């Protein structure tokens, strides 16, 4: 019988509460000279993260998957978006090194309005508009967005990445420091290391949308303003409903904020990104690539950390492929909660440190189980139990190897795992716990395919190490170490990205609010007359909403609109406004069964004998769709998903054929 004591703990081992030896953190590995590496340089940079930069990554990825014949086109596209301005080139020295394509990476996306005839960057040259961070995680197959309102007051870092120049609106960092100023300001605010910087001007955005022959967007209500100029707001004229927007219309939509607020503009921009992803996935072809190159050339710059320069094709294929094949419900839209008005007229916003940190935590640790758990709670169901019951920590045996030059890292980590209850094994005293390669960045948990439960154990141990941890079958060079340690279920190789602290697997699981009654009222007469008139113009059966949100009425402008959403397609859009005013939700009915927005529902649920598709982002149901007799019927939440899941389900269940 093997014992842990015989396998390397030796005389100095102590015993924990379950009777197994726990290695104290002061023995086993011999002392070696070690020089603490210099901390990574702080990023500084740019302004507003924006839909535009993310667009570029998606365009590149999607196009890269079309076929080998696109190789030259892709090289042309890569060259077109390489950093060319001095300001963007200078900012690359503040970016963090780009991790391997299989690991998470973060981009700061910046959109700006360049003025003709002058340099693109600087106070007299352009205005920054929005800030957005995008995190692509190939391990969890997620994309996370984190938006910042431009009126948020924060410490501003301009030329010096270590000196606070002032406290001002976040978009002022662009004015005083260009790309480097915004990059540095965002990194100081969030603590998130940025690997890519992407800047796009509005002209390029319009060209890109036009070259895609428009983007289909669900416009949540009537947008109308005909007064512009120095004393007026930007003009806009959009009807409600799901429709194709050209470049100027799309720009008007994502920049609008004059009858609501910056928070709703951020929501419009994030929803536009989803619409863009759907459009690219359903319509991009090889014939459109040359136009895309022309649209982004001179208007888009993508800088990378580490060696700097342009992104490579391998990076594009890795991160863009993730966006193209993203599983349902894996795009997470995040923003800072509880923003408070600030300043003499309340035109500025402030946020507490805890609310910023909460948003950052959700951004970096998207909970992929949240959509299905939230749907289950709203339906009064119990979430499905995992296929395999979780193993107890004591059932997971592991050997820890050091994949870095940091002295004692394997020893200390093994000790912490043992204290946490894992069954840690050790090598013979004469064998160092050093991996064959000591250049690991990410940590790895290797499993033995021969042993039952080994792979499951590796995935559960992975959670304790945190986000930069990969799971793989045990390679040949690691297997001899496992044999000498007594064949544990797993072997963990600790990389330099490991911060030294184990992670509570439940720390980033978002708690779902308890089920509550739907906030609705029964009112079939609210839309009955209008839908009777609409039925005469529509070739499909109209459904009447018998249940609506409790405080809602029909919107004053274009409340019931019959229109063609696409060639030879028909639709009617019902727009409701809640008691909060300027907060809108919709019901759309159309015979367009293949609309891009209908791709990949999160899941299907049966309500009252009918099957509905649920589109859930995070814990919020954004859309519910019923397929009925050759048509589709959508209940669409507000821009910020303010209708509860229970309310959305109740409204969808209340759709009944006209005349019933």
């Amino acid at each position: 019988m093997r014992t842990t004591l015989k396998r390397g703990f030796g005389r100095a081992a102590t015993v924990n509460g379950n009777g197994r030896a726990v290695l104290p953190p002061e023995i086993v590995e011999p002392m070696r000279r070690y020089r603490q590496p210099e901390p990574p340089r702080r990023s500084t940079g740019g302004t507003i993260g924006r839909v535009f930069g993310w667009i570029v990554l998606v365009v590149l990825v999607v196009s890269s998957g079309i076929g080998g014949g696109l190789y030259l086109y892709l090289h042309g596209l890569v060259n077109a978006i390489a950093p060319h301005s001095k300001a963007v080139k200078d900012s690359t020295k503040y970016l963090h090194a780009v991790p391997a394509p299989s690991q998470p990476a973060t981009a700061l996306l910046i959109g700006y309005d360049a003025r003709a005839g002058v340099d693109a960057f600087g106070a007299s040259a352009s205005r920054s508009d929005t800030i957005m961070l995008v995190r692509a995680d190939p391990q969890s197959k997620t994309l996370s967005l984190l938006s910042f309102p431009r009126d948020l007051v924060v410490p501003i870092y301009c030329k010096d990445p270590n000196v606070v120049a002032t406290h001002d609106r976040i978009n002022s960092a662009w004015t005083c420091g260009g790309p480097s100023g915004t990059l540095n300001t965002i990194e100081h605010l969030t603590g998130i290391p940025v690997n890519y910087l992407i800047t796009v001007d509005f002209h390029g955005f319009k060209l890109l949308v036009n070259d895609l022959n428009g983007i289909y967007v669900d416009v949540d209500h009537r947008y109308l303003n005909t007064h512009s100029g120095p004393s007026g707001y930007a003009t806009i004229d959009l009807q409600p409903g799901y429709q194709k927007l050209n470049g100027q219309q799309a720009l008007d939509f994502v920049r609008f904020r004059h009858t609501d607020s910056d928070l709703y503009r951020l929501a419009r921009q994030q929803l536009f990104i989803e619409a863009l992803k759907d459009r690219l996935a359903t319509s991009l072809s090889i014939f459109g690539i040359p136009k895309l190159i022309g649209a982004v050339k001179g208007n888009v710059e993508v800088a990378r950390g580490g060696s700097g320069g342009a992104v490579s094709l391998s990076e594009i294929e890795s991160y863009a492929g993730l966006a193209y094949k993203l599983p349902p419900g894996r795009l997470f839209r995040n923003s800072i909660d509880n923003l408070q008005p600030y300043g003499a007229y309340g035109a500025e916003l402030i946020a507490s440190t805890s609310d910023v940190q909460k948003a950052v935590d959700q951004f970096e640790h998207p909970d992929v189980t949240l959509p299905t758990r939230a749907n289950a709670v709203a339906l009064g169901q119990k979430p499905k139990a995992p296929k395999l019951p979780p193993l107890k920590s004591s059932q997971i045996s592991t050997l820890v190897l050091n994949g870095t030059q940091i002295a004692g890292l394997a020893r200390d980590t093994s000790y912490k795992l043992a204290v946490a209850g894992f069954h840690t094994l050790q090598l013979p005293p004469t064998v160092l716990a050093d991996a064959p390669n000591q250049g690991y960045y990410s940590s790895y948990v290797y499993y033995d395919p021969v042993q039952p439960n080994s792979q499951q154990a590796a995935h559960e141990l992975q959670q304790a190490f945190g986000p930069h941890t990969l799971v793989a079958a045990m390679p040949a060079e690691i297997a001899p170490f496992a044999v000498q340690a007594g064949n544990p279920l797993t072997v963990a190789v600790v990389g330099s990205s490991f911060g030294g602290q184990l992670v509570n697997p439940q720390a980033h699981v978002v708690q779902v609010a308890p089920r509550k009654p739907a906030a609705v009222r029964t009112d079939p007469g609210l839309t009955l007359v209008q839908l009777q008139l609409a039925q005469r113009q529509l070739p499909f059966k109209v459904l009447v909403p018998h249940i609506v949100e409790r405080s809602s009425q029909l919107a004053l402008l274009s409340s019931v609109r019959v229109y063609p959403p696409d060639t030879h397609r028909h639709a009617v859009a019902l727009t409701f406004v809640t008691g909060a005013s300027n907060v809108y939700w919709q019901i759309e009915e159309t015979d367009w069964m293949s609309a891009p927005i209908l791709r990949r529902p999160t899941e299907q649920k049966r309500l009252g004998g009918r099957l509905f598709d649920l589109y859930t982002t995070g814990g919020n149901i954004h859309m519910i769709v019923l397929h009925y007799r050759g048509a589709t019927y959508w209940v669409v939440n507000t821009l910020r998903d303010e209708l509860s899941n229970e309310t959305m389900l109740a409204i969808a269940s209340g759709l009944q054929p006209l005349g019933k």
Side-chain angles (χ1 to χ4, degrees):
M1 176 181 295
R2 300 187 183 98
T3 67
T4 306
L5 191 60
K6 291 181 179 179
R7 286 290 170 182
F9 275 83
R11 291 188 298 269
T14 58
V15 180
N16 67 7
N18 59 18
R20 288 196 306 275
V22 178
L23 182 64
E26 62 258 17
I27 46 178
V28 171
E29 290 189 41
M31 181 178 297
R32 66 170 72 118
R33 183 182 298 273
Y34 171 70
R35 176 175 296 175
Q36 180 70 26
E38 294 182 2
R41 301 183 70 172
R42 299 289 296 177
S43 306
T44 59
T47 37
I48 350 197
R50 179 151 201 174
V51 297
F52 313 128
W54 196 84
I55 289 172
V56 177
L57 288 181
V58 177
V59 168
L60 294 177
V61 177
V62 174
S63 59
S64 69
I66 294 176
L70 293 179
Y71 183 76
L72 294 179
Y73 281 141
L74 286 174
H75 269 289
L77 192 53
V78 168
N79 293 332
I81 64 173
H84 56 265
S85 67
K86 183 178 184 301
V88 172
K89 289 180 178 178
D90 289 345
S91 69
T92 59
K93 62 186 176 183
Y94 301 116
L95 290 169
H96 290 257
V98 172
S102 61
Q103 299 168 4
T106 300
L108 172 62
L109 309 178
I110 300 172
Y112 61 92
D113 187 5
R115 300 178 185 178
V118 293
D119 181 28
F121 304 102
S124 63
S126 61
R127 296 171 296 161
S128 61
D129 190 64
T130 310
I131 302 171
M132 186 183 295
L133 289 171
V134 179
R135 181 179 185 270
D137 189 345
Q139 299 177 31
S140 61
K141 294 182 175 62
T142 59
L143 284 175
S144 300
L145 313 179
L146 178 56
S147 299
F148 302 87
R150 69 182 188 181
D151 294 332
L152 181 65
V153 175
V154 299
I156 301 297
Y157 294 79
C158 296
K159 301 299 182 182
D160 191 328
N162 299 309
V163 176
V164 177
T166 183
H167 285 71
D168 203 346
R169 299 186 187 198
I170 200 168
N171 67 340
S172 68
W174 176 270
T175 304
C176 71
S180 296
T182 300
L183 176 59
N184 192 61
T185 296
I186 288 297
E187 189 165 285
H188 276 281
L189 176 66
T190 64
I192 297 173
V194 177
N195 310 112
Y196 295 92
L197 173 66
I198 306 170
T199 63
V200 185
D201 71 23
F202 296 152
H203 178 66
F205 172 78
K206 291 189 290 185
L207 288 177
L208 181 60
V209 173
N210 287 335
D211 287 341
L212 287 171
N213 194 28
I215 302 293
Y216 287 99
V217 176
D218 184 27
V219 179
D220 61 308
H221 70 94
R222 180 79 164 100
Y223 290 83
L224 180 63
N225 177 51
T226 59
H227 302 287
S228 63
S231 59
Y233 297 119
T235 59
I236 188 170
D237 186 1
L238 295 177
Q239 291 285 350
Y242 187 70
Q243 60 198 281
K244 184 190 290 185
L245 303 184
N246 62 31
Q248 184 61 56
Q249 291 172 324
L251 184 60
D252 292 342
F253 180 70
V254 299
R255 296 188 70 190
F256 181 86
R257 68 167 187 164
H258 302 310
T259 60
D260 40 44
S261 71
D262 233 2
L263 303 181
Y264 289 93
R265 180 169 64 168
L266 299 184
R268 278 187 286 270
Q269 292 171 353
Q270 292 186 346
L271 287 170
F272 181 84
I273 287 179
E274 287 200 77
L276 172 70
K277 182 170 67 69
D278 292 333
R279 180 66 167 162
L280 290 169
T282 56
S283 65
L284 187 63
S285 70
I286 186 173
F287 304 105
I289 301 300
K291 286 186 176 181
L292 292 179
I293 294 176
V296 301
K297 187 173 184 179
N299 299 308
V300 177
E301 296 181 69
V302 181
R304 70 190 304 276
S307 61
V311 294
S312 65
L313 285 180
S314 62
E315 289 173 277
I316 290 170
E317 291 169 357
S318 174
Y319 294 118
L322 170 64
Y324 183 59
K325 299 179 180 180
L326 198 67
R330 296 296 180 92
L331 193 153
F332 291 80
R333 304 194 301 265
N334 301 282
S335 59
I336 302 172
D337 293 333
N338 304 318
L339 294 172
Q340 300 297 318
Y342 179 76
Y345 301 99
E348 298 171 332
L349 299 169
I350 57 174
S352 68
T353 302
S354 60
D355 285 324
V356 172
Q357 187 54 49
K358 178 182 177 183
V360 168
D361 186 68
Q362 292 175 346
F363 171 76
E364 291 193 301
H365 304 93
D367 183 355
V368 297
T369 69
L370 182 57
T372 54
R373 290 191 294 114
N375 292 344
V377 169
L379 290 164
Q381 302 171 349
K382 290 184 177 181
K384 292 182 179 179
K387 294 181 179 180
L388 293 174
L391 298 172
K392 296 180 180 179
S393 298
S394 59
Q395 296 176 289
I396 301 176
S397 57
T398 188
L399 166 69
V400 182
L401 299 179
N402 191 348
T404 75
Q405 295 289 331
I406 303 174
L409 184 59
R411 176 198 65 209
D412 295 345
T413 304
S414 181
Y415 174 76
K416 291 173 181 177
L417 287 171
V419 171
F422 292 95
H423 186 183
T424 56
L425 302 181
Q426 303 296 318
L427 293 166
T430 57
V431 180
L432 294 179
D434 288 341
N437 174 11
Q438 293 187 290
Y440 278 75
Y441 173 75
S442 291
S443 298
Y444 274 77
V445 179
Y446 295 115
Y447 61 89
D448 182 357
V450 177
Q451 298 191 60
N453 301 326
S454 180
Q455 187 171 1
Q456 181 187 355
H459 282 284
E460 294 184 24
L461 183 59
Q462 175 195 35
Q463 299 179 50
F465 277 95
H468 294 290
T469 307
L470 304 176
V471 171
M474 193 176 300
E477 64 269 20
I478 298 295
F481 292 91
V483 172
Q484 293 183 78
N487 294 313
L489 289 177
T490 65
V491 174
V493 179
V494 188
S496 59
S497 66
F498 177 58
Q501 297 298 321
L502 300 179
V503 176
N504 178 359
Q506 299 299 316
H508 303 293
V509 176
V510 179
Q511 298 301 312
V512 179
R515 191 184 187 204
K516 56 186 177 182
V520 295
R521 73 175 191 272
T522 302
D523 192 354
L526 180 62
T527 59
L528 181 59
V529 174
Q530 293 91 332
L531 286 177
Q532 287 173 336
L533 296 173
Q535 181 67 87
R536 302 172 187 175
Q537 306 174 60
L538 298 169
F540 58 87
K541 187 69 173 178
V542 168
L543 298 190
V544 178
H546 283 230
I547 297 174
V548 296
E549 192 273 333
R550 182 181 299 156
S551 67
S552 295
Q553 297 294 332
L554 284 171
L556 293 177
L557 298 177
S558 302
S559 58
V560 179
R561 178 194 176 211
V562 177
Y563 69 103
D566 197 42
T567 306
H568 307 305
R569 302 299 180 186
H570 312 81
V572 57
L574 287 72
T575 304
F576 302 85
V577 59
T578 70
S581 74
N582 290 327
V583 177
Y584 301 88
W585 61 277
Q586 290 180 319
I587 292 176
E588 306 229 13
E589 307 183 4
T590 178
D591 57 4
W592 190 9
M593 304 293 288
S594 59
I597 198 174
L598 300 179
R599 295 179 66 251
R600 297 186 178 180
T602 308
E603 58 181 332
Q604 290 185 324
K605 292 293 183 181
R606 192 167 294 278
L607 306 172
R610 298 183 295 182
L611 193 63
F612 290 82
D613 291 341
L614 274 58
Y615 297 78
T616 306
T617 301
N620 301 312
I621 298 176
H622 182 70
M623 187 169 71
I624 303 178
V625 175
L626 170 67
H627 298 265
Y628 175 74
R629 295 187 178 182
T632 60
Y633 304 82
W634 318 349
V635 179
V636 186
N637 211 329
T638 68
L639 288 173
R640 303 187 67 216
D641 294 334
E642 285 132 317
L643 303 190
S644 70
N645 292 350
E646 293 83 359
T647 299
M648 289 286 292
L649 292 167
I651 295 172
S653 299
L655 294 172
Q656 298 296 334
L658 181 66
K660 182 174 180 181

